Amino acid sequence: DTMGILIDYGYIDSILLKASVVHDCIEDIPNFNPQQIVNIDSDGQQVLELVMEVTKKEGQKKNDFLRSIIENGSERAKILKCADRISNMISLGFVTDPAFIERYCDETEFFIFPIALEVDYTMYHELINLVITRRKYLEDSGYILKKKESSQK
């Protein structure tokens, strides 16, 4: 999980860690009231601000959202986005749709690598290795070969 990854990387910032626990609530829970985050404790307002920074706005394209983090994101938002992506890349082992895995790897290379390179070189290195192993899986499964063959027809 994202919090575990942050702790593994030595992050002990309470706002960052709290945001890592609740950041998916707004996107994943229908009718979630963000005010609930504010009311958690004295860090609540800052936690909510960070959560909102890493939450895609309704109707916003994912690429535009990720580009806005690259261009305007706070350091905390960038660190949280990288840790979350590491967590999600690890979970890709349970995803069987190769097209999704390929798209997620492409997105990671294009948008998350630059963020990680800026904020945490060790996370950057782990993300590279995760992309390499996921792409190897796609190759070993025959997906890449099938895709090439179908594009040549």
Side-chain angles (χ1 to χ4, degrees), residues 12-135:
I12 55 169
D13 175 327
S14 65
I15 291 161
L16 186 57
L17 294 175
K18 289 171 189 175
S20 75
V21 174
V22 298
H23 76 279
D24 286 331
C25 292
I26 292 174
E27 286 179 0
D28 297 350
I29 300 172
N31 304 317
F32 180 79
N33 178 1
Q35 200 57 39
Q36 291 175 279
I37 294 173
V38 174
N39 297 336
I40 292 172
D41 65 12
S42 61
D43 289 336
Q45 185 58 46
Q46 284 181 278
V47 171
L48 177 61
E49 287 166 15
L50 178 54
V51 166
M52 294 312 295
E53 210 180 333
V54 296
T55 301
K56 188 168 77 67
K57 313 293 174 266
E58 208 170 316
Q60 187 178 30
K61 290 192 178 99
K62 185 125 186 233
N63 289 358
D64 294 339
F65 162 66
L66 292 171
R67 198 171 288 111
S68 75
I69 291 180
I70 291 171
E71 292 169 3
N72 309 308
S74 67
E75 185 170 8
R76 277 180 176 144
K78 290 176 178 180
I79 292 166
L80 180 54
K81 199 72 207 157
C82 291
D84 189 46
R85 182 55 60 116
I86 289 169
S87 173
N88 293 343
M89 289 292 289
I90 291 168
S91 304
L92 273 186
F94 304 104
V95 173
T96 51
D97 176 14
F100 177 84
I101 294 172
E102 183 179 39
R103 198 168 58 246
Y104 209 71
C105 285
D106 290 347
E107 186 183 278
T108 301
E109 285 186 29
F110 196 79
F111 294 106
I112 310 299
F113 280 9
I115 295 171
L117 193 53
E118 181 187 334
V119 293
D120 192 309
Y121 189 74
T122 317
M123 280 187 179
Y124 171 66
H125 204 78
E126 183 170 1
L127 283 160
I128 289 173
N129 286 323
L130 285 163
V131 167
I132 288 169
T133 56
R134 291 342 176 240
R135 289 202 187 280

